[in-house]
Amino acid sequence: MRQIVVISGKGGTGKTVLTGSFAALAKNKVMADCDVDAADLHLLLAPQVMERHDFRSGSTAVIDRDKCVVCGKCMQVCRFSALRVFLPSGECAKREVFVDPVACEGCAFCSFACPRGAITMEENLSGEWFISETRFGRMVHAKLGVAEENSGKLVSLVRGQARELAEKSGCDWVIVDGAPGIGCPVIASLSGVDLAVVVTE
């Protein structure tokens, strides 16, 4: 089995169209859409989703309100200003610490600093990945959530699942629509492939 990836230095160069053409021409193959930030191979291949799986990556601080005494230690150590005190109006309302999930980087420093053990780290649901059937064969693809990170990790997962599917089915090819640019998702798209086609303008 051989893996071929189509990549480009930027988006919009036509790599997905080329990948779709390879998918139509090649026999006995599995396709993988590794452009998880802006996946669009499904627009050409119109897949029917057979399997749907969650992608979890990174973590966010969560505060146990019963244990928290609003001592402020967590806010002192958080260099991302992700923890803040909520000051409600009204005499009976009590102050509470809340976590800004966008600002939280998942470093877990606050959970170690909390003297009451009121902060735990919970894994984020960052996206989904799918195994689908298309008119040209099976395809593994994914969708990263809005403003989520670790797209390189999701690309590695998609490629690994496509390779595993191809090995089980005795396929000759894994045709990969790679991520555009030069970052981590591109490296994850390219690692260990047999051939790379670079599309330029």
Side-chain angles (χ1 to χ4, degrees):
M1 177 198 57
R2 304 183 82 189
Q3 297 182 69
I4 180 169
V5 62
V6 182
I7 58 168
S8 62
K10 62 179 285 294
T13 59
K15 67 182 176 51
T16 299
V17 171
L18 189 59
T19 304
S21 300
F22 284 160
L25 293 170
K27 307 294 182 199
N28 199 24
K29 79 288 183 179
V30 170
M31 287 82 65
D33 189 350
C34 289
D35 186 0
V36 298
D37 291 295
D40 54 7
L41 188 59
H42 66 280
L43 298 173
L44 293 177
L45 303 184
Q48 295 294 317
V49 175
M50 311 301 286
E51 295 180 31
R52 182 185 302 265
H53 303 272
D54 289 340
F55 171 65
R56 296 188 178 275
S57 182
S59 57
T60 302
V62 176
I63 298 173
D64 184 337
R65 303 272 174 236
D66 296 329
K67 291 182 181 177
C68 179
V69 293
V70 196
C71 68
K73 295 273 189 201
C74 57
M75 290 179 283
Q76 291 171 12
V77 299
C78 182
R79 63 183 296 205
F80 305 105
S81 301
L83 296 141
R84 299 188 188 115
V85 174
F86 176 64
L87 301 169
S89 58
E91 294 179 17
C92 298
K94 67 173 194 171
R95 297 186 323 149
E96 291 182 341
V97 176
F98 74 95
V99 179
D100 179 352
V102 176
C104 181
E105 290 287 322
C107 68
F109 198 24
C110 58
S111 66
F112 295 115
C114 180
R116 303 286 302 242
I119 302 175
T120 55
M121 303 305 293
E122 288 188 4
E123 203 171 28
N124 299 327
L125 177 60
S126 300
E128 293 180 296
W129 63 275
F130 317 92
I131 297 177
S132 298
E133 196 67 52
T134 76
R135 64 189 185 274
F136 300 123
R138 278 177 291 179
M139 177 172 86
V140 182
H141 52 118
K143 182 171 72 172
L144 192 66
V146 175
E148 295 292 345
E149 50 190 52
N150 289 315
S151 55
K153 187 176 175 183
L154 183 53
V155 167
S156 296
L157 175 70
V158 168
R159 277 204 44 223
Q161 291 296 324
R163 186 176 58 248
E164 188 178 310
L165 193 59
E167 286 170 354
K168 282 181 184 173
S169 307
C171 292
D172 298 323
W173 292 96
V174 175
I175 299 172
V176 180
D177 184 10
I182 58 171
C184 185
V186 181
I187 294 166
S189 297
L190 277 167
S191 299
V193 299
D194 299 287
L195 300 165
V197 177
V198 182
V199 181
T200 61
E201 288 187 319

